[in-house]
Amino acid sequence: MAEAASRVIGLLEYIEQVEKLNAKPAFSVPSEYFVAHQHELQGLPGLQLDLPDEADDVWLRLSRLQESAPPEPPEVLRPWLTPSKSPDKVPELRTEALIAQDGAEPAPCQLEDRPDIWPLFDDYVKGQWMPWATAERGRRKSIAQYNRLFALQRAMATEGAETPLELVWGVGFAVWKKDGQSSAVRHPLLTQACEVSLNEKTFELEIRPRDTDPKLEIDCYAEMEIPGVRQLEAHWKSALATGAHRVNPFEASTFEGVLKAAVGHLDPGGSYTPCASGDAEPAAPTAPAAPDERLRVNDSWVLFARKRSGDIFMEDIRRLKKSVADVPALPDVIRSFVERGDDTVRVQPAQPFRGLGSSEDAPGAFELYFPMPYNDEQVSIVQKLENNDGVVVQGPPGTGKTHTIANVICHYLARGKRVLVTAKGESPLAVLQDKLPERIRPLSVALLSNERDGMRQFEHSIQTIAANVAAFDPARALQAIAAAEARLDQLHARISHIDRTVAERAARHMKTRRFQGRDVTPEELARQVLAQAGEHQWFDDTPDMEAEQLPFGDADIDALRAARLTVAGDLACLGSPLPAPEQLPAWAELVRLHRDLVRARQIGDSVAAGAVLGLVGAGAEAQALADWLQARAATETKLKTVARPELAGLAQRLAGVQPGDPVLASFLTACGDIQALAAQRRQLRSKAVEVPPDAETHADYQAALARLVEGKGAFVLPFGKA
């Protein structure tokens, strides 16, 4: 065991040394991602510094501003002015413009002929445009800084482990070009890791210090082999151990002692220059000075982004080394990294789980706690994890890896285990957390780069768990667990019963049969039945499926065929239902009906032969009269259902009218008009037109009607009209 621990520590030391060799000290502030000095940010519109917050301090808050348009010039000046949307470019006057005078058409006019334009232009530029430009320059700078900082915030939230970025706030900017050194120092001495977040409601960007210790940036001085680096590092560790609070760029007392000590240890001939001394007002921040042969440090700050520092990784390595040295026994998964592997490949038995399609549960079968649909591959992953320290699962995007991980997490949480999920970026973790079932989600906490969100999730999970624990009744929970286990056993037993039933029926249906002197499969028999379905649909008797042979032979089939030929004429009535004897008429009534039918057939034959003349009422005229009388009766019935009292008086008036009565002529004319309108209405209903309110007052509507009355088209130019 001691040998394995020694090998693990040696491996960690090797990783530590490789990381140190790969690390390159920073002499200058990196500018490829984001950098903003104090003199570039302080005083910008919409920017606030050092704000107290209910949870922690906000060092910087930047509002989302919009560009404002330049002021509108006077009406007289507009034709002559060449406007400019940029506050850095002054508007100009044109030498010629189109001017309309006294309602005439616009005509070219020369600037030299309008001496009144120059005073108006000077008043506009000095009185309106220049004040706007002065304010707008600061606003445009603020907008540019916001866009850069927002792009950084998006990159930090989406980038993976290949290009990890961190935002740091540097305090105590130092410049130095030491004799004999090729690189000049342009870097702050103290840095504090920060986080940038976007307020979803106000769209303000906020920068807060992270809950980590500040860092003393002295790697470049160690690279320069400055003698006082070790003493300065010891002073810094002592300050961290005894300090009452962390570094704050807006409180000089939190960092001034360290900066002065840095100058004394690194370059006794150097200088520390604060922006304000004593009770004097703080001087306006300026750009960092050019480096020279002496170390110069001031208390200005700079905000910049860089690739994530390897100090966290190195600290993890040191903690791991200490843990390996202190632990009495290494876990098997750690020990397997340094022990010689087995050269024999052994097949490990797969861990069985209940309810996976087997009729009987194997001994020692586990429960599978997958809350979402799963397949054999997901079950295989869990089976391999039961007997191995790790499993590698690969798949292109869209193959269900997130779904699989969510199922695996829920399975091990249900078994009382802890699960750690890591990813290259934050987006996959957020998607995975949303994939978890609603009741499982409070048990998950996402440790993201935004510490406030992580703490908020952690507090929500703790509160949810605490609320559940407060309402937890152990006795009732044990009863519920016992009932759930009993129900689960019943379901597994039912699944096993269904599996056995399916297997039995499958075996019976797949058994070969003896047919026409040979063994055939059920598939072949089914194919023959479908091919000859039309010839055998009359046979609706279900044969005995258990019998080896049919219960009839060829002789029975010959006898059945002969009987069918005998009753062939009566087979048409085979499916007709027969009435009950008590429902039939008496014999005397049947005899009378029979005689009437015979007599009617005889008369019909005589009429067809011409021996007897046909009845007059049987002609087309009688049929037409009958149809008219039937339609008239239907109309009278319909009129009776209409509650219109004037119809009754109209019916009485028309009952005794004579053919020459003017009322009858007017009534018939009105009926003809109504029929014509009804026919026109049926034709127009296929081309319905919606007329807006008050259309008859519109000039185009009246003009269209006038043209239609004249027999012309509705519109002269129908474009855009309807």
Side-chain angles (χ1 to χ4, degrees), residues 402-426:
T402 304
H403 184 97
T404 301
I405 295 173
N407 263 342
V408 173
I409 291 174
C410 295
H411 172 75
Y412 284 110
L413 288 179
R415 294 185 58 185
K417 296 183 179 295
R418 294 176 296 176
V419 182
L420 172 65
V421 182
T422 62
K424 291 183 177 181
E426 296 183 2

Side-chain angles (χ1 to χ4, degrees), residues 12-255:
L12 293 175
E13 289 178 348
Y14 172 77
I15 297 174
E16 185 178 10
Q17 295 301 322
V18 170
E19 184 66 21
K20 289 181 179 180
L21 291 175
N22 293 332
K24 296 182 179 179
F27 284 80
S28 299
V29 173
S31 58
E32 60 265 29
Y33 305 110
F34 175 86
V35 60
H37 290 268
Q38 181 179 357
H39 71 281
E40 297 173 335
L41 293 179
Q42 196 160 340
L44 289 181
L47 184 139
Q48 298 171 288
L49 298 172
D50 194 19
L51 303 172
D53 191 74
E54 57 182 9
D56 50 4
D57 294 336
V58 177
W59 283 1
L60 184 146
R61 177 179 293 159
L62 185 57
S63 301
R64 182 187 181 189
L65 304 180
Q66 300 292 335
E67 295 182 358
S68 62
E72 289 291 335
E75 186 70 26
V76 180
L77 190 60
R78 289 181 186 177
W80 300 95
L81 193 67
T82 301
S84 172
K85 295 183 179 180
S86 172
D88 298 324
K89 183 179 180 182
V90 181
E92 299 176 352
L93 285 177
R94 300 187 179 98
T95 58
E96 184 182 71
L98 294 176
I99 306 298
Q101 297 180 354
D102 301 331
E105 292 294 330
C109 183
Q110 301 298 322
L111 180 61
E112 58 186 15
D113 298 332
R114 294 292 303 272
D116 59 315
I117 297 300
W118 283 103
L120 294 176
F121 175 72
D122 292 338
D123 292 342
Y124 168 73
V125 172
K126 295 178 180 179
Q128 299 184 43
W129 189 90
M130 293 189 69
W132 166 83
T134 302
E136 187 65 15
R137 289 190 189 98
R139 177 183 289 267
R140 298 287 176 93
K141 291 179 181 179
S142 182
I143 293 173
Q145 295 291 355
Y146 182 95
N147 294 336
R148 295 173 58 214
L149 196 57
F150 178 78
L152 175 65
Q153 189 265 343
R154 291 289 87 194
M156 293 176 63
T158 57
E159 290 291 343
E162 293 84 357
T163 56
L165 300 177
E166 65 175 353
L167 181 66
V168 295
W169 198 297
V171 182
F173 202 86
V175 292
W176 192 13
K177 179 63 171 70
K178 191 176 182 301
D179 293 339
Q181 299 293 331
S182 59
S183 300
V185 177
R186 295 183 182 88
H187 201 280
L189 280 168
L190 297 176
T191 56
Q192 172 64 54
C194 297
E195 64 180 23
V196 55
S197 60
L198 177 67
N199 191 315
E200 300 288 346
K201 297 180 180 179
T202 62
F203 295 100
E204 294 176 332
L205 290 172
E206 298 176 343
I207 297 179
R208 293 176 171 83
R210 300 190 65 178
D211 191 15
T212 58
D213 291 332
K215 181 186 177 185
L216 183 64
E217 302 285 346
I218 56 175
D219 292 343
C220 60
Y221 302 99
E223 182 74 11
M224 295 164 59
E225 299 181 354
I226 304 298
V229 170
R230 291 186 178 274
Q231 292 84 344
L232 178 58
E233 188 174 9
H235 176 82
W236 172 247
K237 290 182 179 179
S238 175
L240 285 180
T242 60
H245 46 264
R246 62 186 176 186
V247 172
N248 188 322
F250 309 102
E251 297 179 11
S253 60
T254 63
F255 58 82

Side-chain angles (χ1 to χ4, degrees), residues 352-414:
F353 289 92
R354 294 208 297 174
L356 296 180
S358 58
S359 299
E360 298 292 342
D361 292 329
F366 290 172
E367 292 290 349
L368 186 64
Y369 301 103
F370 280 175
M372 296 179 290
Y374 59 91
N375 52 23
D376 294 340
E377 286 78 7
Q378 298 183 27
V379 176
S380 175
I381 293 172
V382 178
Q383 288 177 333
K384 289 181 173 62
L385 286 174
E386 293 295 333
N387 299 315
N388 298 276
D389 294 327
V391 175
V392 178
V393 181
Q394 292 180 328
T399 54
K401 295 188 296 297
T402 304
H403 184 97
T404 301
I405 295 173
N407 263 342
V408 173
I409 291 174
C410 295
H411 172 75
Y412 284 110
L413 288 179

